Structures are given as C-alpha cells and as structure tokens.
Amino acid sequence: MIATEFPLWATLPASLLLVIGGLLTVIGSLGLLRLPTFFARMHGPSMGNTLGTGCVLIASMILSSALLHRPVAHEFIITVFIVIVSPVTAMLVMRAARYRTRVKEERRQQGLQREQE
Amino acid sequence: MRRVPPIFALVMLAMWLLLNSSISLAHIILGAVISSLLLLAAYPLRPLQPRMRRGPVLLRLAFKVLIDVIRSNIGVARVILGLTERGKIHSGFMQIPLDLRDPHGLSVLAMIITCTPGTVWVELSPDRSMLTIHVLDLVDESEWIERIKNRYERALIEVFQ
Amino acid sequence: MMPLLDGAIWFAQFCFALATAFAAIRLIRGPGAQDRVLAFDTMYINGMLSLLMLGMRSSSTAYFDMALLIALFGFVGTIALAKFLLRGEVIEP
C-alpha cells in the first residue's frame, strides 16, 4: 500500500505512536458520547486534542524525515498552534455554556413563579 | 519608541524556516526581512513586554507538564471507559486563589490547565486574584489547589515576576 | 517491517473515522447548542488527523499544508460559533 520503503528505526516508533494516538483520540471522542453533562463532556475531546494530536504529529515528523533523508519539523507548528489555541476555545465555549445554562435556569424559575401565581 | 526585543523577530524567522523546511541563505534573508517588517507593523498593537528569566526553570516545568499530561490522560481514559472503582463520577467547579499577576504567566498557566485533560480553565476574576476551573474527577479540592499552586504557579512566578 | 506501519496507519485511520462518527452523533443529537459547537471542534481536529494519515499513506508532504489550514480555519470557526452563542453576534460594533 505504501509507496516507498522506510527504514526500521522510523517504522517502529511511528507505528507505536500512531496506535497510541488513535486510541487516545477515539477514547476522547467516546467521552463526548458517554459523559453525562456538558461540562463533563468538555474534558473528553481535550484528550484527543493534546496527546493524541501530539503523538500523530510526532509520527508524521519521523516518517517525513525518513522520507526526505533530512530532519523535517514543520509538523511542530501545528502542535504549537493547537496548544496555544486550545485555552481560547475552551474559555469561550465554557463562558457561552455557563451563560446559556444561567439564562435557561432563570427562565425556568420565572415560569415556575408564573405557574404558582 | 521603545526598544523592540529581537526575540519576536527570531521566533517569526524560525517559523518561516520551519514552514519552508529549509535553512538556505536565501530563505534566511527573506525570512529576516519579512519578520522585521511584520514586527514593525505589528509592534504598536503589543505594548506589553514579557520579562523572562531563568530558562531552566521553564524547561523543567515543561517536562513536569508533559508527565502530568500523560498521567491525566490515563486518568480521564479510565473515567470515560468506566474503569474507576466508584461507579459515578463527581465533576464540578472549584475556585483557586492565585498569586500570579503577570499576564504572560497567566496565559501560560491557562495553556497548562487546558491542555491537561481533566481540568478546564473557566474564568479569572477581573482583579486576577481568583481562578475558576472545572475538574472532571473532583475528589479532593485541596489536593488540586496544592497541585496547581505548588507544581505550576510557583515556577511561573519565578520565571515571569 | 512494512506490514507493521501499514497496519498501524490502517488502525489509526479507523480510529479517527470512529471518533468522527462519535462526534457526528453528538452533533446531531446534542441537547444544547454548546454541545454541537464542542462536537464540531472535535470533528475538525479528527478531520485534520485523518488528512495527515492520508499524507503518510501516500508518502507525500503536500497534505501538511492542508492540515495546517484546517487547524487555522477550524479554530476561527469554533471561536465565531462560541462568540455567537455568547452574544448573539460575532463582531460587535
């Protein structure tokens, strides 16, 4: 299936990292389905985002270095970008979720009061 | 006009070289020209200067964070697959008093907390003294406060303040 | 040693497809709009990883640029959606 031959020193760690990264990502996304509340579900994908992506990108780095016969590190930029960006996403999504649950709760209580009157 | 720190230009040059994945002289010159022009254009937008000292502390912190990320990945995977002893997980918000005030240190702390699965940075109070985080497996609040204050915050204060 | 790498890439691709499917289920079912935004965020990361897998399979580095662009634009999309949920508009006057 794969077009070119890779040396042994590249295939062994790359395969290991790919298997670990795939498992971590799939468990993280499974958490998106299994965990009960939204705030608990926030934690599932962050597994795949950090260590899963990191493993796959390191494997990609190893393989493309072996392919081009010189060290290639441009996958490193994606890792750095995701690490820098993930708190911004998490903070905004979290703030939106808290705001929406608060508004919903207030509306529900207003509805209850109106029913009692 | 204040002195422009050269480290921004160096980081941008490194990124240019990484994107082109070459270190030929032509790319170095082109990257240097582009990064210094961008720096001159973008400098008025960024008035705050980071003060960083003690690089080795930062390296040790990065290593510690890597270990913690691996450990908490295993922990969160156990929770998701339902392998914990207690059947029901107990997640919730908690508040941590902070001593760190430097914005760059706080942003590094945000990256650390968010990239560690199991904890998410929620918000910081406007006077930067109280941090709210959400923890997936909240067993003992004081243990988390201890961990964040001792393991991460102390090193960041040492580096940035 | 090639069957090992081949199998690992197959396995990883399968995992990312499964993860995308889980995220899609949450995207369709999700009780709140914030669940959908979170599922979208997971989906673009998984899509980026699948693209990298394709790059490894075909032994080319051209897929890297697409992965970088997906990472950039997915981030912008998630931020815009979260901001919209928070305020009702993305760019405030």
Side-chain angles (χ1 to χ4, degrees):
Chain A
M1 283 304 284
I2 301 172
T4 43
E5 287 286 318
F6 289 106
L8 180 62
W9 62 264
T11 43
L12 269 182
S15 314
L16 193 67
L17 284 171
L18 282 178
V19 170
I20 294 174
L23 276 180
L24 282 175
T25 313
V26 84
I27 290 174
S29 296
L30 185 65
L32 208 58
L33 281 187
R34 282 192 52 139
L35 293 175
T37 63
F38 171 76
F39 294 112
R41 282 198 281 272
M42 279 293 289
H43 300 286
S46 84
M47 264 176 74
N49 284 1
T50 55
L51 205 56
T53 314
C55 284
V56 172
L57 288 170
I58 290 172
S60 168
M61 242 187 266
I62 292 173
L63 284 184
S64 49
S65 304
L67 184 70
L68 299 178
H69 301 293
R70 61 187 169 85
V72 174
H74 56 198
E75 278 86 352
F76 188 65
I77 291 180
I78 298 185
T79 319
V80 170
F81 181 75
I82 285 178
V83 167
I84 288 178
V85 142
S86 64
V88 184
T89 318
M91 235 182 274
L92 263 179
V93 173
M94 210 68 175
R95 193 175 289 173
R98 285 186 94 190
Y99 169 72
R100 284 173 68 90
T101 41
R102 205 167 52 224
V103 168
K104 216 180 201 175
E105 188 65 22
E106 278 168 10
R107 284 207 188 123
R108 203 176 59 87
Q109 278 176 358
Q110 279 173 1
L112 280 183
Q113 279 174 2
R114 219 168 286 147
E115 267 177 29
Q116 282 170 358
E117 279 165 12
Chain B
M1 191 174 158
R2 270 172 295 174
R3 198 175 61 88
V4 177
I7 189 152
F8 289 139
L10 282 180
V11 168
M12 268 193 275
L13 177 61
M15 195 175 147
W16 176 265
L17 293 178
L18 273 176
L19 270 174
N20 282 304
S21 66
S22 84
I23 41 172
S24 64
L25 185 65
H27 272 304
I28 291 178
I29 292 172
L30 187 58
V33 169
I34 288 178
S35 61
S36 32
L37 283 181
L38 272 179
L39 193 60
L40 282 181
Y43 189 65
L45 301 176
R46 188 84 190 108
L48 274 175
Q49 298 294 323
R51 293 193 315 123
M52 281 170 63
R53 291 166 301 165
R54 305 196 193 189
V57 178
L58 210 58
L59 275 182
R60 218 179 309 142
L61 179 70
F63 187 67
K64 253 195 267 180
V65 169
L66 186 66
I67 302 276
D68 278 0
V69 165
I70 293 172
R71 268 175 40 198
S72 60
N73 259 295
I74 296 170
V76 174
R78 280 168 59 95
V79 169
I80 289 174
L81 294 175
L83 296 177
T84 42
E85 297 84 44
R86 298 157 288 119
K88 205 164 152 46
I89 55 156
H90 178 74
S91 60
F93 295 95
M94 60 174 288
Q95 292 198 315
I96 299 175
L98 281 186
D99 297 321
L100 184 66
R101 292 288 182 278
D102 183 74
H104 300 93
L106 283 170
S107 56
V108 175
L109 188 64
M111 283 175 214
I112 293 173
I113 288 180
T114 314
C115 287
T116 315
T119 50
V120 173
W121 175 290
V122 179
E123 67 181 352
L124 189 67
S125 66
D127 61 342
R128 296 181 187 163
S129 64
M130 194 59 98
L131 164 69
T132 310
I133 65 173
H134 186 268
V135 182
L136 178 62
D137 199 5
L138 188 64
V139 183
D140 186 8
E141 277 200 22
S142 58
E143 187 194 334
W144 281 103
I145 293 179
E146 182 82 2
R147 182 170 147 189
I148 283 170
K149 284 195 88 71
N150 278 346
R151 278 179 83 87
Y152 310 139
E153 197 194 357
R154 203 194 289 155
L156 286 175
I157 285 177
E158 228 173 286
V159 173
F160 285 102
Q161 262 181 6
Chain C
M1 251 11 227
M2 288 320 278
L4 181 67
L5 184 64
D6 207 17
I9 291 181
W10 264 113
F11 179 76
Q13 259 183 332
F14 175 72
C15 282
F16 297 142
L18 205 62
T20 314
F22 289 156
I25 293 174
R26 182 50 79 191
L27 189 67
I28 293 167
R29 230 176 56 182
Q34 59 266 45
D35 286 289
R36 293 172 212 261
V37 174
L38 191 61
F40 167 75
D41 191 60
T42 317
M43 252 174 121
Y44 90 78
I45 294 264
N46 287 331
M48 186 198 82
L49 291 177
S50 319
L51 209 54
L52 280 175
M53 289 292 111
L54 277 181
M56 277 183 215
R57 176 172 292 279
S58 60
S59 307
S60 86
T61 53
Y63 287 91
F64 161 77
D65 301 315
M66 293 179 231
L68 186 63
L69 282 182
I70 288 184
L72 282 168
F73 286 117
F75 160 68
V76 175
T78 313
I79 290 295
L81 283 173
K83 194 82 201 312
F84 183 77
L85 289 189
L86 192 61
R87 297 277 187 199
E89 57 183 325
V90 178
I91 300 174
E92 293 172 44

